[in-house]
């Protein structure tokens, strides 16, 4: 598994050199890259100049975000595809083979079946752009009731429904993003991974939920760093993923409000320590001990 520092998942901001320093200091194996910013540097200078910091750090890029939402108007979608055609090859140049995006859980005017078909067609096109570069697309969902509030027409908001969409697309480089927090608050089973094969999963996000919060009433502000409360069995999820051979990005995620008052280095340190501890508990990290043994302590 690839321990990945995602500034966007932790509310971190700063220069690329600062994010790389955090990643190196706390033992991350990859970083997230803003590919729009990177492409701009390539245009302004050249590829060698744009990738000089990554090259000196010897860290690959673990993930980059799809540069547009899938439910945008057609003109915006076409423009987004052009950006993706530019960014895909650049991502490969910095060692990245994973692109991620998240579905909106509803729409104002588009019924479920029409929205499903639109996403099926667009995901097919997006995967067709990424496949020649050898890049996989990971698609996530938003599972909270609050995320759907105010939406006239609901859309995909569970791991099972997301997996169904991915199978209907049928692209070999498409798969779900497994976000343990979204799965938990949507009523899914973290231990069973929603019936998915680890080989299907493109990226993994780990978080926790406060003990006092009802999953049905959770909001994004209730997203804690993994292992903060011990409520979501992330170690069991990692053990299942490892047993199935999953080797992709594993990304700690928390809402910025839960990290208020902490410096960037403190946030990165706590996120890294949480991942390390979970890996040891799952029996998949350095000096790991079997998960069964930890559960009886």
């Amino acid at each position: 598994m690839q321990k990945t520092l995602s500034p966007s998942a932790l509310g971190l901001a700063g220069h690329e050199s600062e994010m790389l320093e955090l990643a190196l200091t706390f033992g991350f194996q990859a970083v997230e890259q803003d590919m729009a910013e990177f492409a701009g540097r390539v245009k302004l200078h050249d590829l060698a100049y744009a990738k000089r910091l990554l090259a000196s750090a010897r860290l690959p890029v673990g993930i980059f975000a799809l540069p547009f939402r899938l439910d945008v108007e057609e003109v915006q979608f076409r423009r987004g595809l052009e950006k993706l055609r530019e960014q895909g090859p650049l991502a490969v140049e910095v060692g990245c083979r994973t692109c991620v995006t998240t579905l909106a859980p509803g729409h104002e005017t588009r019924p479920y079946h029409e929205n499903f078909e639109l996403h099926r067609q667009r995901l097919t096109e997006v995967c067709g752009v990424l496949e020649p570069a050898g890049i996989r697309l990971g698609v996530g969902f938003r599972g909270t009731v609050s995320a759907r509030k105010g939406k006239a027409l609901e859309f995909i908001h569970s791991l099972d429904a997301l997996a169904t969409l991915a199978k209907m697309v049928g692209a070999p480089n498409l798969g779900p993003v497994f976000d343990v927090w979204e799965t938990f608050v949507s009523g899914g089973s973290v231990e069973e991974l929603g019936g998915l094969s680890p080989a299907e999963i493109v990226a993994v996000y780990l978080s926790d939920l406060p003990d006092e919060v009802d999953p049905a009433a959770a909001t994004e502000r209730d997203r804690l760093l993994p292992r903060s409360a011990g409520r979501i069995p992330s170690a069991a999820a990692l053990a299942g993923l490892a047993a199935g051979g999953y080797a992709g990005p594993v990304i700690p995620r928390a809402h910025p409000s839960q990290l208020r008052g902490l410096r960037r280095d403190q946030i990165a340190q706590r996120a890294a320590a949480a991942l390390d501890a979970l890996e040891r508990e799952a029996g998949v990290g350095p000096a790991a001990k079997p998960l069964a043994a930890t559960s009886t302590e």
Side-chain angles (χ1 to χ4, degrees), residues 132-145:
I135 296 174
R136 298 182 73 194
L137 177 66
V139 182
F141 69 95
R142 299 185 66 189
T144 64
V145 174

Side-chain angles (χ1 to χ4, degrees), residues 20-43:
L20 288 172
E21 182 179 359
L22 289 175
L24 290 170
T25 299
F26 299 111
F28 287 92
Q29 299 164 320
V31 294
E32 177 187 30
Q33 178 68 56
D34 181 339
M35 290 308 301
E37 191 272 339
F38 184 79
R41 268 188 284 149
V42 172
K43 287 180 179 179

Side-chain angles (χ1 to χ4, degrees), residues 125-266:
E125 288 194 66
V126 170
C127 289
V129 170
L130 293 173
E131 187 175 14
I135 296 174
R136 298 182 73 194
L137 177 66
V139 182
F141 69 95
R142 299 185 66 189
T144 64
V145 174
S146 61
R148 303 192 298 277
K149 189 176 181 180
K151 301 288 185 183
L153 299 163
E154 293 188 357
F155 192 47
I156 288 172
H157 53 270
S158 72
L159 187 58
D160 286 344
L162 179 65
T164 297
L165 174 61
K167 289 175 182 177
M168 291 295 291
V169 174
N173 59 328
L174 175 67
V177 167
F178 179 55
D179 186 322
V180 299
W181 190 90
E182 298 287 5
T183 301
F184 189 81
V185 300
S186 67
S189 168
V190 171
E191 294 88 343
E192 296 176 3
L193 300 177
L196 297 172
S197 161
E200 297 177 78
I201 296 169
V202 176
V204 174
Y205 285 88
L206 299 178
S207 307
D208 209 344
L209 183 72
D211 287 331
E212 68 276 11
V213 176
D214 180 353
T219 72
E220 277 294 324
R221 296 179 68 86
D222 297 313
R223 189 189 282 269
L224 306 175
L225 281 174
R227 209 170 175 269
S228 295
R231 188 171 180 188
I232 297 180
S234 293
L238 286 184
L241 288 163
Y246 178 77
V250 176
I251 306 153
R253 186 173 180 181
H255 193 273
S257 65
Q258 300 291 346
L259 306 170
R260 190 172 292 123
L262 297 176
R263 301 190 309 268
R264 287 181 303 194
D265 62 315
Q266 292 174 318

Side-chain angles (χ1 to χ4, degrees), residues 265-287:
D265 62 315
Q266 292 174 318
I267 293 171
Q269 182 180 34
R270 292 187 185 192
L275 286 189
D276 291 342
L278 285 172
E279 287 187 342
R280 288 193 296 271
E281 292 169 17
V284 299

